[in-house]
Amino acid sequence: MMELRKDPIIKRWVIISSERSKRPMDFKKQHQKTENSFCPFDYGNEYSTPEEIIAFRDANSTPNSPGWWVRVVPNKFPALDSENELKKQGVGIYDQMSGYGYHEVIIETPQHNAKLADMPMDQIKEIIWAYLKRFQTIRKDKNIKYIQIFKNKGEEAGASLSHPHSQLIATPIVPITIKSEIEGSKSYYEFRERCVYCDIINQELKDKQRVVFKTDEFIVIEPYASRFPYETWILPLKHSNDFGSLENNPALVEDLAKTLSIITKRFDKKLDDPPFNLFIHTSPFIDGLELYYHWHIEILPRLTNVAGFEWGTGFHINHVSPEQACSDLIEEKDIL
């Protein structure tokens, strides 16, 4: 069973996916597999994954064999599947639709023990290009409203395999977090006729308290109302609502690779290689958002646990101010 179900009170959709089901004992704490364990993402184990969708590989190599440096494959246990027929229906007071969508894995490197912080710039660029190729292909599906690209690093961040990889889930609805960002951005724009994210960038450059560093094209900040210690945002300096637009600008891809390399190196150096969640927030496939939405990347180091107060209220208690976090992550050469 794959279904999307809507909470009738706060309008939040959830995915119910028995393809990924677990029994009660399966939820007991399991430690990351040792490095001697079999890994389906390792070089030479291509036969153990679903057939690749795309791969960047040597010209004389064949699909689903060695010779690659980035591979994209369907998730073996998908939350959503494009083979499902998209059906929407009411079940009494509830709204439901079939589990239509895409769930893919971007295997970032053949090297099992590699980290984003240690990868060459060219490899990080190739990962971004893989994101973009799948993003631009899947968006052509008129049933898809949103594509979430994300990376879970470390067991505490939800990674079931330690081999470096990202994931992509495309949904037939706009997630509630993205809807909230859009509604807030629209409200701000209607009042001030400016993009709130652009104003945040200008304010942070003026205040100089929460800017970790900036490059030619991107700014890295500790957001003013950070939910978690060392929560970090990466924003394009020039207004753009669409992550997919990078496809037409290789210089932006190169600069984003540089930015990701720098900030993950800082996490390694300053925070002792923490687990983290990284996700790209981009415009859903709806017309009219160009003026007031601004795509960006959020990175959440997993240094604390979310507990009862946070779950019960939606409030977050952050024990490290964004100003202190910035001071910890900044280096002398960054000072504006």
Side-chain angles (χ1 to χ4, degrees):
M1 180 182 71
M2 292 181 185
E3 293 177 350
L4 291 101
R5 299 183 180 182
K6 188 177 185 181
D7 181 316
I9 303 169
I10 62 173
K11 315 303 181 187
R12 175 181 56 208
W13 286 88
V14 300
I15 296 171
I16 309 294
S17 182
S18 60
E19 180 73 15
R20 303 167 65 83
S21 64
K22 292 186 177 182
R23 298 181 183 277
M25 290 298 291
D26 294 334
F27 288 95
K28 294 186 72 174
K29 183 74 172 176
Q30 295 181 0
H31 295 291
Q32 197 76 270
K33 295 180 177 63
T34 66
E35 294 307 315
N36 293 325
S37 298
F38 177 84
C39 175
F41 296 164
D42 278 0
Y43 201 73
N45 293 342
E46 295 80 11
Y47 65 89
S48 63
T49 68
E51 291 191 2
E52 64 193 42
I53 301 167
I54 63 167
F56 300 158
R57 55 171 55 253
D58 295 333
N60 60 353
S61 64
T62 59
N64 306 299
S65 70
W68 56 277
W69 53 90
V70 176
R71 291 180 81 219
V72 181
V73 300
N75 192 299
K76 198 170 186 177
F77 304 103
L80 301 171
D81 195 327
S82 61
E83 295 296 314
N84 293 329
E85 182 182 357
L86 181 58
K87 295 180 180 178
K88 303 177 183 181
Q89 62 180 346
V91 182
I93 67 168
Y94 301 114
D95 291 321
Q96 174 186 306
M97 67 176 73
S98 56
Y100 182 88
Y102 297 77
H103 190 174
E104 300 176 357
V105 178
I106 299 94
I107 307 172
E108 299 171 356
T109 172
Q111 298 178 21
H112 181 82
N113 293 315
K115 297 185 298 185
L116 199 61
D118 297 334
M119 290 182 194
M121 282 273 296
D122 284 346
Q123 185 68 23
I124 301 175
K125 282 194 293 184
E126 293 289 78
I127 295 166
I128 297 169
W129 281 117
Y131 291 170
L132 288 165
K133 284 186 176 296
R134 292 308 297 151
F135 185 89
Q136 297 292 51
T137 297
I138 293 171
R139 77 185 302 168
K140 296 174 185 176
D141 184 337
K142 299 302 181 185
N143 290 323
I144 294 300
K145 298 294 187 292
Y146 189 73
I147 297 175
Q148 180 64 74
I149 297 170
F150 63 98
K151 176 179 175 64
N152 302 329
K153 177 191 177 293
E155 187 178 8
E156 298 88 341
S160 57
L161 291 171
S162 59
H163 192 116
H165 67 284
S166 307
Q167 297 184 65
L168 176 157
I169 296 181
T171 61
I173 53 93
V174 179
I176 193 167
T177 297
I178 305 303
K179 286 185 72 173
S180 296
E181 287 186 354
I182 290 168
E183 289 166 2
S185 301
K186 183 179 181 181
S187 176
Y188 188 94
Y189 184 84
E190 288 173 343
F191 179 58
R192 297 190 173 177
E193 297 186 349
R194 299 192 305 269
C195 165
V196 63
Y197 291 94
C198 290
D199 274 9
I200 287 172
I201 291 169
N202 292 330
Q203 183 73 44
E204 295 302 338
L205 287 171
K206 178 182 177 182
D207 289 349
K208 299 183 179 180
Q209 295 184 70
R210 292 171 292 273
V211 178
V212 182
F213 67 91
K214 74 179 185 73
T215 62
D216 292 339
E217 303 289 350
F218 293 92
I219 186 169
V220 179
I221 66 169
E222 303 300 292
Y224 177 78
S226 300
R227 296 158 291 178
F228 305 100
Y230 304 96
E231 174 179 351
T232 300
W233 290 10
I234 301 171
L235 301 102
L237 287 164
K238 296 173 185 172
H239 180 78
S240 171
N241 70 304
D242 182 11
F243 168 72
S245 65
L246 268 66
E247 186 183 46
N248 300 317
N249 195 332
L252 274 175
V253 173
E254 183 164 359
D255 204 76
L256 180 56
K258 174 184 174 182
T259 304
L260 287 170
S261 178
I262 292 171
I263 192 58
T264 52
K265 280 179 168 62
R266 296 287 173 85
F267 286 165
D268 264 21
K269 179 179 177 181
K270 309 281 189 171
L271 305 179
D272 194 25
D273 187 22
F276 62 77
N277 301 106
L278 178 155
F279 41 88
I280 299 171
H281 277 183
T282 185
S283 180
F285 307 131
I286 299 171
D287 292 334
L289 307 183
E290 297 83 4
L291 292 176
Y292 54 84
Y293 192 69
H294 196 119
W295 81 266
H296 58 283
I297 295 174
E298 299 184 18
I299 310 176
L300 307 179
R302 297 294 292 269
L303 302 172
T304 57
N305 293 320
V306 176
F309 178 74
E310 289 88 345
W311 287 118
T313 64
F315 271 108
H316 288 271
I317 302 174
N318 184 354
H319 299 288
V320 180
S321 73
E323 293 78 16
Q324 181 61 54
C326 181
S327 176
D328 292 340
L329 291 173
I330 202 168
E331 293 189 352
E332 189 68 28
K333 62 179 179 292
D334 301 323
I335 296 174
L336 301 175

